[in-house]
Amino acid sequence: MNNHTLRESFEALGISDLVLTPGASFRYLSGLSLHASERLTLLFVNIDGEKSALLPALEAESAKSADFLHLETYRDEEGPLRALQALTQKMGFSSETILGYEAQMIRMFEYQALAGFAGKSFLAADDVLASIRLIKGEDELEKIRRAAQIVDGALVRSLPLFKSGMTELEVAAELEYQMRKLGSEGTPFATIACAGPRGALPHGGPSMSVIKRGDLVVLDYGAMIDGYAADTTRTVSFGVPSEEALSVYEVVKKAQAAAVQIVRPGITAQEVDRAAREVIRGAGLGVYFTHRTGHGLGLDVHEFPSVMEGNELILRPGMVFTVEPGVYLSGKFGVRIEDDVCVTETGVEVLTQFTRELCVID
C-alpha cells in the first residue's frame, strides 16, 4: 500500500479514517483472509496507513500475522459492542469523525454498530479503494498468471472426459475437480456450464439438464491462487454444431480478438468495448450482445475497470481485466469467449491461453 497515495485519496474525499468489513479490500489492506459472518469484524485504516481491527476472539491467532496499531477482540458470549467502544476510544474517534466505508460491502448491522460508537458521519469510499487496487504489482500478477494456467490446464484435462449425455452439473463438477487437482484453492464464483438454449443465459447456473449432441455449451469458470482470481469462458460443441452456431461462433471469436488486439497503454476502456461491439454489430447481432465487454480482475473476480461504453478511464500498465464478448440467441444457444489480459508497457499480455478455436467433442 502506497501511504502517499492513500493520504491524497483520504484528503480528496474528506475522511480521516477508513472502515472495512471482510472481503477483498479488507484482505488487500490487512493481509487477513476472513469471511463475513454474523460476528462483527472490522478493519480501520487511518490517513497514515496505520491499521486497527475489531475481531472475534476465535480470529486472534490469525491476527498475529498482521501489523495492527490497535486490536480489540471479543468472545461470543459478551458480544462486540464493549470491544468496539474501547477500540474507537483508543483511535480517538468522536462525533466529528468522518469515516469512509465500502458501500458495496457493508451490511446494515455493521453500519448501525459503527453509527453508535464511531461518529455519525460516513462517506462512501469505493472509488478510493478501486484506485488503490487498480494497478497490480508483480507479485499480484504472478498469482493471477498461476490461476490462469490452472483454468487452461483444467479444460485440457476435462475435454477428453466430456461426452453427450452428461448433465451440466457433471461437466461443472469435472472442471472444478481438475482445477483443485492443479492447485486452485477454490472457485471465485459459481461455475457456469449451460447447454443449448440455456447457453443464452449469460449467468445461468448448471442444472441437471442433459447435454445433447449438437449442443453448444458455455463454460465460464475460475480458479484462485492466494485469493487472486482467473476467470475464463470457452464455448464448446458436443457433436457437430449447426451452421448458424458455427457462424455466430466465428463472429464472437473475431470480436474477442479485435478487442484483445487493441489493448495497450493510453487508450480508454470504452475503446476496447467498441472494438468488440463493432464486429458484432457489423454482423447484425449487436442486439444480442447484452453486457459489457469485460471487468477488472484481482482479489475480486469483478472489480474495476469496467470495460464498457462511457468508461473513459485511460489504460495503464498493470491493469488486469477480462475481454469477453458474447452473443445470446434466446431459445437457441449462446456463445461467449473470455480471456484475462494485463496491460503492459508496450501492449498486452494475454494470461489465459487455451485455444479460441471451437472444440468439437465427439
Side-chain angles (χ1 to χ4, degrees), residues 5 10 29 58 61 146 166 173 186 196 218 220 227 247 305 318 321 327-328 342 354:
T5 301
F10 277 32
L29 291 173
L58 59 85
E61 188 67 24
R146 287 167 56 199
M166 295 178 73
V218 178
D220 189 342
S247 175
F321 53 87
V327 168
Y328 310 95
C342 175
F354 191 87

Coordinates of all heavy atoms in Angstrom, one line a residue, residues 5 10 29 58 61 146 166 173 186 196 218 220 227 247 305 318 321 327-328 342 354:
T5 N -0.3 7.8 -1.7 CA -1.5 7.8 -2.5 C -2.7 7.7 -1.5 O -3.7 8.3 -1.8 CB -1.5 6.5 -3.4 OG1 -0.3 6.6 -4.3 CG2 -2.7 6.4 -4.2
F10 N -7.6 10.1 0.8 CA -8.3 10.5 2.0 C -8.6 12.0 2.0 O -9.8 12.4 2.3 CB -7.6 10.1 3.3 CG -7.7 8.6 3.7 CD1 -7.9 7.6 2.8 CD2 -7.7 8.3 5.0 CE1 -8.0 6.3 3.1 CE2 -7.8 6.9 5.4 CZ -8.0 6.0 4.5
L29 N -5.6 -4.8 2.4 CA -5.0 -3.8 3.3 C -4.5 -4.5 4.6 O -3.6 -3.9 5.2 CB -6.0 -2.7 3.6 CG -6.3 -1.8 2.4 CD1 -7.4 -0.8 2.8 CD2 -5.0 -1.0 2.0
L58 N -12.0 -15.8 18.3 CA -11.5 -17.0 17.6 C -10.6 -16.7 16.4 O -9.9 -17.6 15.9 CB -12.7 -17.9 17.1 CG -13.7 -17.2 16.2 CD1 -13.3 -17.3 14.7 CD2 -15.1 -17.8 16.3
E61 N -5.6 -15.6 16.8 CA -4.4 -16.3 16.3 C -4.0 -15.8 14.9 O -2.9 -15.5 14.6 CB -4.5 -17.8 16.3 CG -3.3 -18.6 16.1 CD -2.2 -18.4 17.2 OE1 -2.6 -18.1 18.3 OE2 -1.0 -18.6 16.9
R146 N -0.7 -17.7 -12.4 CA -0.8 -19.1 -12.0 C -2.2 -19.6 -12.0 O -2.5 -20.7 -12.4 CB -0.2 -19.2 -10.6 CG 1.4 -19.1 -10.6 CD 1.9 -19.0 -9.1 NE 1.5 -20.0 -8.2 CZ 1.4 -19.9 -6.9 NH1 1.8 -18.8 -6.3 NH2 1.1 -21.0 -6.2
M166 N -24.0 -36.4 -20.6 CA -23.7 -35.8 -19.2 C -24.6 -34.7 -18.9 O -25.2 -34.1 -19.8 CB -22.2 -35.3 -19.2 CG -21.2 -36.4 -19.4 SD -19.5 -35.7 -19.4 CE -19.2 -35.2 -17.7
A173 N -18.8 -30.0 -12.4 CA -18.0 -30.7 -11.3 C -16.7 -31.2 -11.8 O -15.7 -31.1 -11.1 CB -18.9 -31.8 -10.8
G186 N -9.9 -22.8 -4.6 CA -11.4 -22.8 -4.7 C -11.8 -22.1 -6.0 O -11.0 -22.0 -6.9
G196 N -27.1 -25.7 -25.0 CA -28.2 -25.4 -25.9 C -28.8 -24.1 -25.5 O -28.2 -23.1 -25.3
V218 N -21.7 -23.3 -23.0 CA -20.9 -22.2 -22.5 C -20.3 -22.6 -21.1 O -21.0 -22.9 -20.2 CB -21.8 -21.0 -22.3 CG1 -20.9 -19.8 -21.8 CG2 -22.4 -20.6 -23.7
D220 N -18.0 -21.2 -18.2 CA -17.4 -20.0 -17.6 C -17.0 -20.4 -16.2 O -17.9 -20.7 -15.3 CB -18.5 -18.9 -17.6 CG -17.9 -17.5 -17.1 OD1 -16.8 -17.5 -16.5 OD2 -18.5 -16.5 -17.4
G227 N -6.0 -16.0 -3.1 CA -7.1 -15.1 -3.2 C -7.2 -14.4 -4.5 O -8.3 -13.8 -4.8
S247 N -21.5 -20.0 -37.5 CA -21.4 -18.6 -38.0 C -21.3 -17.6 -36.8 O -20.5 -16.7 -36.8 CB -22.6 -18.3 -38.9 OG -22.6 -17.0 -39.2
P305 N -11.2 -2.1 -13.8 CA -12.1 -1.2 -14.5 C -13.2 -2.0 -15.2 O -13.0 -3.1 -15.6 CB -11.2 -0.6 -15.5 CG -10.2 -1.6 -15.9 CD -9.9 -2.4 -14.6
G318 N -0.2 -2.7 -15.8 CA -0.6 -3.3 -14.5 C -2.1 -3.4 -14.3 O -2.5 -4.1 -13.4
F321 N -7.8 -7.2 -16.7 CA -9.3 -7.3 -16.9 C -9.6 -8.4 -17.9 O -8.7 -8.9 -18.5 CB -9.9 -5.9 -17.4 CG -9.2 -5.3 -18.6 CD1 -9.6 -5.7 -19.9 CD2 -8.2 -4.4 -18.4 CE1 -9.0 -5.1 -21.0 CE2 -7.6 -3.8 -19.5 CZ -8.0 -4.2 -20.8
V327 N -22.7 -13.5 -27.6 CA -24.0 -13.4 -28.4 C -24.9 -14.4 -27.8 O -24.5 -15.6 -27.7 CB -23.7 -13.6 -29.9 CG1 -25.1 -13.7 -30.6 CG2 -23.0 -12.4 -30.5
Y328 N -26.2 -14.0 -27.5 CA -27.1 -14.9 -26.9 C -28.4 -14.9 -27.6 O -29.1 -13.9 -27.6 CB -27.3 -14.4 -25.4 CG -26.0 -14.2 -24.7 CD1 -25.4 -13.0 -24.6 CD2 -25.3 -15.3 -24.2 CE1 -24.2 -12.8 -24.0 CE2 -24.0 -15.1 -23.5 CZ -23.5 -13.8 -23.5 OH -22.3 -13.6 -22.9
C342 N -3.5 -8.4 -19.3 CA -2.9 -7.4 -18.5 C -2.3 -6.4 -19.4 O -1.6 -6.8 -20.4 CB -1.8 -8.1 -17.6 SG -0.7 -6.9 -16.7
F354 N -5.8 -21.0 -23.6 CA -6.4 -22.1 -24.3 C -7.0 -21.6 -25.6 O -7.4 -20.5 -25.8 CB -7.6 -22.6 -23.4 CG -8.2 -23.9 -23.9 CD1 -7.6 -25.1 -23.5 CD2 -9.2 -23.9 -24.8 CE1 -8.1 -26.3 -24.0 CE2 -9.7 -25.1 -25.3 CZ -9.2 -26.3 -24.9

